[in-house]
Amino acid sequence: MGDNLISVNNVSVNFDYQENFISKKQKIHAVNNINIKIKKGSFFGLVGESGSGKTTLGRAILGANKISSGNVIFHDDERDYDLTDMNKQDLKEYRKKAQLIFQDPYAALSPRMTVRDIIAEPLEVMKITNSRQETDERVRDIASKCRLNIEHLRRFPHAFSGGQRQRISIARALVSNPKFIVADESVAALDVSIQADILNLLKQLQTELNLTYLFISHDLSVVAHVCDVVAVMYLGHIVEMGPSRELFKNPKHSYTKALLSSIPSIDPEKRSEAIELKGEIPSALNPPPGCVFRTRCPNPGVDCKGGEIKMGLIEVEPGHWVDQCCAL
Amino acid sequence: MSHLLEVKNLDVKFDTDEGRITAVENISLSVDQGEVLGIVGESGSGKSVTAKSIMKLNPGNTSYNEDAEIILDNENVLQFTSKQDLKKIRGGKVSMIFQEPMASFAPAIKIGAQMVEQLLIHKNINKEEAKSISINMLKRVGIADAEKRFNQYAFELSGGMRQRAMIAMALSTMPKLLLADEPTTALDVTIQAQVINLIKDIIKEYQMGVIFITHDLGVIAQVADHVAVMYLGSVVEKGPVNEILKNPKHPYTKGLLQALPDINNLDAPLSPIPGNIPSPLDRPTGCVFRTRCPHHNPEGKDGKIEMKLIEVEPGHWVDQCGNKCGQNG
Ligand SMILES: Nc1ncnc2c1ncn2[C@@H]1O[C@H](COP(=O)(O)OP(=O)(O)OP(=O)(O)O)[C@@H](O)[C@H]1O
Ligand SMILES: Nc1ncnc2c1ncn2[C@@H]1O[C@H](COP(=O)(O)OP(=O)(O)OP(=O)(O)O)[C@@H](O)[C@H]1O
Ligand code: SF4
Ligand code: SF4
Ligand SMILES: [Mg+2]
Ligand SMILES: [Mg+2]
């Protein structure tokens, strides 16, 4: 498949939901009919509403969530992996190639293990190395790439600050030499200085190790800085997607515009010019027909209101896709 | 007039296997009625620990210094030991919105039942009254279908709703002081803007005092009246929010502002503060920031200068280094 690493084709993920054990089963439509291609070596950003399905989609691509319909293909050098059709052996192989960096650097690390053991664990669990010496070499190598000192390896995680812990999580995610990383709110808990440091590190490792990222974040300034392509999600759908500079300079969808206008200004005297969104966020149990954003859209077109418009992305500029009504 | 809350010379230490960790050292802060004090700072700098001290919520391995005082409404909460007294500061006069939204609600109890229970503990009212107050507050925080949401579990709500439900619960007891620890970090910016406006309205209406912890300087600019900047357990600078953001004096504060990614200038590289944060196990003597400070004041660098805040503009306090922090650009 040439230069794509991942193809997500018409992927939907539903969860079962039951109010109590006698009531009838319903479905939570967490992710709906998503199509994305992630290029090799790209820093792919995923932003959007809380609860819009970003984590669910990320986990689906990692093979950690069942996919209800559609498929995800991982294009490795030698072969393709179809995530909806993998046997145990394939899944084991795939786990080495695709890794998650957790959101919370405090909660993610076991307090009873030394940093060396935390980083080494994936190697041992996946039986990647054959001797303790080999494991140690891999651990030391990745630790130094993540700017951790050798003497840090003997310590326990609570002796480290948030930024250092995040580097430990990154080292752990990278030690199996993966090709693809899902970073889910990986810098959200960090102050801006440590955040900048970690982002620079991710960028640098991307070049050094030939990595591809799916970067999930609420921080649009961060996404604008590090990502080359961005997709915006709302209630299980991608409503806009494109090269990040183009999308941030020239947003087309009403939700993207509202998002960009709501970034709080660092100037206390600057009154917020946020486009205020009114109306309730619809439930994923009962998504509205037609455009999912229409219950809160500040300027719906005539056709939108009745829900007659179908969701569907249209390419308005090369590589810049927008949900259809907004595109016109 | 006396302050609603005054924290004086607070140290917080934790005993761990590896030794004693100083999480907070010699912090003094105050909050007035109707005022929002923002706290920003390094991850692990002691923001949450400071807030939890006000409710005496730190765990068993915690020790406070003898001469510290946390005066709330003219009483020193650090002296509180009886159940009756602790009840006053845990959900009575003080409410806390915790950093992790799911942690605030028990997973197997409906949102409404938890709100009612809280009110019954702290207010002299019956169940029906508690229910109507709760539903009212859910409406106030902008939750449609409040009666229906009242009967749902936390996991059934979206992130934004859960966050607002948590704020409703924290506000329903009408605390005098609200401790909000990263209340909007998990929200996208459109919902964040709604929540911030809501908190501001309610503060005005009820003349509540608020401590608002966040690492988002944009959020601080929009909500806070005053701000305190923390680094490795110490407050290194504090003052009116305008002053601090427009005229920062401390090298750490300046570094934070420079590290902020600017969406209007995507070509600028991201510039972190150079160097590593020392482990809380080996906290530097003297100025806590000296191991990373770009200024070359030899006395400060040697650790010979003690931490001490000096007032450089009215109400604007900054840590000194023989005044170097206040003087150098
Ligand atoms: N294990 C689960 N069981 C039931 N519903 C779930 C489960 N996981 C997620 N959901 C639901 O799926 C939808 C999408 O959730 P998801 O966590 O993917 O959102 P998100 O975009 O990552 O949100 P946030 O920005 O708040 O992290 C939500 O409605 C959520 O309640
Ligand atoms: N119970 C505890 N035992 C030992 N150390 C602790 C305990 N609780 C907190 N600490 C330590 O105290 C320091 C301050 O922690 P705190 O949670 O207040 O940081 P914070 O400023 O809120 O950081 P963040 O922005 O990451 O939430 C950290 O070094 C932390 O590891
Ligand atoms: S499709 Fe219509 S309702 Fe939906 S966001 Fe666009 S203009 Fe608004
Ligand atoms: S007190 Fe001295 S060493 Fe510390 S931050 Fe100020 S100038 Fe730097
Ligand atoms: Mg998520
Ligand atoms: Mg905290």
Side-chain angles (χ1 to χ4, degrees):
Chain A
M1 268 296 291
D3 47 359
N4 288 327
L5 182 68
I6 285 165
S7 310
V8 174
N9 304 312
N10 307 316
V11 164
S12 297
V13 179
N14 304 323
F15 294 104
D16 287 334
Y17 166 82
Q18 209 172 8
E19 182 139 356
N20 54 48
F21 67 95
I22 45 170
S23 61
K24 85 171 199 291
K25 271 207 182 114
Q26 288 175 278
K27 281 203 184 328
I28 297 172
H29 303 271
V31 162
N32 277 298
N33 197 25
I34 301 272
N35 285 291
I36 53 179
K37 303 235 182 290
I38 302 178
K39 278 216 175 80
K40 281 188 183 135
S42 85
F43 216 120
F44 192 104
L46 199 52
V47 302
E49 184 97 22
S50 325
S52 60
K54 303 180 296 296
T55 300
T56 305
L57 179 59
R59 288 172 55 87
I61 297 175
L62 288 176
N65 256 352
K66 63 167 178 53
I67 294 166
S68 310
S69 63
N71 66 10
V72 174
I73 313 281
F74 182 89
H75 310 284
D76 205 2
D77 294 337
E78 314 82 47
R79 57 164 288 200
D80 283 0
Y81 291 84
D82 179 345
L83 295 210
T84 47
D85 180 26
M86 282 204 293
N87 58 33
K88 267 205 172 127
Q89 186 56 35
D90 286 351
L91 192 63
K92 240 168 91 186
E93 285 296 309
Y94 185 61
R95 285 272 145 80
K96 294 180 198 165
K97 297 176 191 290
Q99 285 283 330
L100 175 70
I101 303 175
F102 289 98
Q103 168 172 1
D104 184 348
Y106 290 83
L109 307 175
S110 160
R112 297 266 154 244
M113 286 164 80
T114 63
V115 171
R116 183 257 170 218
D117 291 346
I118 288 169
I119 300 175
E121 194 178 42
L123 293 177
E124 279 151 9
V125 171
M126 296 188 244
K127 300 197 173 63
I128 293 172
T129 45
N130 297 316
S131 66
R132 178 157 178 119
Q133 195 194 344
E134 199 188 338
T135 306
D136 277 338
E137 268 166 33
R138 290 276 289 259
V139 170
R140 257 185 257 132
D141 180 48
I142 198 70
S144 82
K145 283 208 173 74
C146 296
R147 278 183 278 121
L148 294 161
N149 301 332
I150 302 296
E151 67 265 27
H152 285 160
L153 296 177
R154 266 181 278 128
R155 293 206 196 149
F156 293 90
H158 65 183
F160 293 92
S161 71
Q164 287 169 324
R165 284 182 220 210
Q166 195 57 275
R167 282 186 225 151
I168 298 168
S169 304
I170 293 172
R172 180 184 155 96
L174 294 180
V175 74
S176 61
N177 213 356
K179 296 188 165 161
F180 176 62
I181 296 282
V182 175
D184 191 355
E185 297 284 1
S186 298
V187 296
L190 305 175
D191 66 85
V192 288
S193 166
I194 301 182
Q195 198 176 67
D197 189 32
I198 297 288
L199 292 170
N200 287 339
L201 176 66
L202 291 177
K203 276 271 181 199
Q204 186 196 329
L205 293 173
Q206 180 180 35
T207 333
E208 263 173 46
L209 305 175
N210 225 343
L211 289 169
T212 304
Y213 293 107
L214 178 66
F215 187 81
I216 302 175
S217 175
H218 282 305
D219 192 326
L220 300 168
S221 313
V222 164
V223 169
H225 267 270
V226 299
C227 296
D228 33 44
V229 182
V230 179
V232 182
M233 283 187 78
Y234 187 86
L235 203 69
H237 292 267
I238 288 179
V239 294
E240 185 160 9
M241 174 163 65
S244 99
R245 284 184 186 226
E246 156 76 11
L247 189 133
F248 284 107
K249 213 168 49 207
N250 193 15
K252 297 281 188 198
H253 195 276
S254 306
Y255 178 64
T256 316
K257 288 181 189 167
L259 263 187
L260 288 173
S261 77
S262 302
I263 300 173
S265 164
I266 182 73
D267 184 347
E269 275 157 15
K270 203 169 149 203
R271 295 271 319 139
S272 151
E273 286 146 29
I275 302 168
E276 209 184 319
L277 294 180
K278 303 234 165 68
E280 251 330 293
I281 307 151
S283 131
L285 269 171
N286 231 329
C291 163
V292 280
F293 190 54
R294 73 187 166 86
T295 58
R296 295 168 81 209
C297 181
N299 49 357
V302 266
D303 294 339
C304 309
K305 273 293 185 199
E308 279 128 40
I309 296 262
K310 280 230 168 77
M311 296 290 293
L313 295 176
I314 293 180
E315 193 170 21
V316 284
E317 303 277 344
H320 186 168
W321 296 78
V322 187
D323 191 43
Q324 53 188 336
C325 167
C326 278
L328 306 172
Chain B
M1 201 193 80
S2 67
H3 300 292
L4 169 64
L5 171 79
E6 192 160 13
V7 175
K8 289 189 204 161
N9 312 320
L10 177 70
D11 295 349
V12 184
K13 300 198 158 105
F14 295 109
D15 287 316
T16 70
D17 296 349
E18 284 182 287
R20 204 160 230 224
I21 290 182
T22 302
V24 165
E25 189 169 76
N26 198 23
I27 281 195
S28 297
L29 298 167
S30 67
V31 182
D32 290 331
Q33 284 197 334
E35 185 199 37
V36 180
L37 170 71
I39 302 184
V40 295
E42 194 98 8
S43 315
S45 61
K47 303 181 295 294
S48 300
V49 165
T50 302
K52 285 183 193 157
S53 304
I54 298 165
M55 294 171 93
K56 288 199 89 175
L57 279 180
N58 285 313
N61 64 342
T62 314
S63 57
Y64 301 103
N65 52 323
E66 294 274 313
D67 54 338
E69 288 182 308
I70 297 181
I71 310 289
L72 178 76
D73 243 4
N74 305 314
E75 288 181 286
N76 185 358
V77 307
L78 285 176
Q79 308 291 339
F80 286 0
T81 46
S82 73
K83 258 195 167 160
Q84 207 53 34
D85 277 342
L86 290 173
K87 213 173 91 177
K88 277 199 294 205
I89 48 169
R90 293 181 188 164
K93 288 179 180 176
V94 190
S95 283
M96 183 151 178
I97 300 169
F98 290 93
Q99 207 163 352
E100 169 52 57
M102 274 316 269
S104 299
F105 291 109
I109 308 174
K110 289 177 176 169
I111 299 268
Q114 295 187 57
M115 293 183 78
V116 166
E117 188 191 320
Q118 235 226 143
L119 277 164
L120 293 179
I121 293 173
H122 295 291
K123 300 276 157 181
N124 197 8
I125 51 175
N126 66 35
K127 242 183 167 168
E128 276 314 300
E129 288 165 325
K131 182 172 176 183
S132 98
I133 291 174
S134 301
I135 290 181
N136 243 329
M137 197 44 93
L138 287 172
K139 284 183 181 155
R140 280 295 315 264
V141 302
I143 291 185
D145 269 346
E147 287 87 354
K148 194 170 156 236
R149 299 294 175 196
F150 183 86
N151 282 318
Q152 287 192 301
Y153 298 97
F155 71 89
E156 294 175 309
L157 305 188
S158 80
M161 276 180 166
R162 201 184 296 143
Q163 194 105 49
R164 282 179 286 170
M166 185 169 69
I167 292 169
M169 181 153 93
L171 291 172
S172 66
T173 51
M174 299 299 162
K176 293 190 163 180
L177 179 69
L178 176 69
L179 307 173
D181 196 353
E182 304 272 10
T184 60
T185 306
L187 303 179
D188 68 88
V189 287
T190 65
I191 296 180
Q192 173 171 279
Q194 280 180 29
V195 167
I196 286 174
N197 287 338
L198 169 86
I199 293 182
K200 277 168 129 173
D201 288 349
I202 290 181
I203 295 163
K204 249 204 218 123
E205 192 177 329
Y206 299 107
Q207 283 300 298
M208 217 169 257
V210 180
I211 292 185
F212 198 109
I213 299 173
T214 174
H215 61 82
D216 188 329
L217 295 165
V219 169
I220 282 286
Q222 301 301 319
V223 294
D225 302 301
H226 284 83
V227 58
V229 182
M230 288 186 69
Y231 182 82
L232 209 63
S234 297
V235 171
V236 294
E237 184 160 15
K238 64 181 177 181
V241 68
N242 244 321
E243 229 340 83
I244 300 291
L245 294 179
K246 291 196 166 163
N247 189 18
K249 297 287 189 195
H250 195 277
Y252 177 65
T253 316
K254 289 181 189 172
L256 273 187
L257 286 162
Q258 271 156 20
L260 208 60
D262 181 358
I263 197 158
N264 297 313
N265 183 6
L266 296 181
D267 293 320
L270 296 171
S271 37
I273 299 166
N276 280 321
I277 316 144
S279 150
L281 284 167
D282 37 40
R283 240 171 144 255
T285 54
C287 164
V288 281
F289 192 60
R290 70 186 168 86
T291 57
R292 296 167 76 191
C293 182
H295 297 309
H296 297 289
N297 181 2
E299 287 183 61
K301 284 280 189 200
D302 293 347
K304 290 194 187 123
I305 299 244
E306 287 299 305
M307 298 285 291
K308 186 180 173 214
L309 294 174
I310 53 169
E311 194 171 20
V312 287
E313 301 280 342
H316 184 168
W317 296 78
V318 60
D319 185 42
Q320 62 151 1
C321 188
N323 276 351
K324 284 300 180 290
C325 267
Q327 286 171 9
N328 288 1

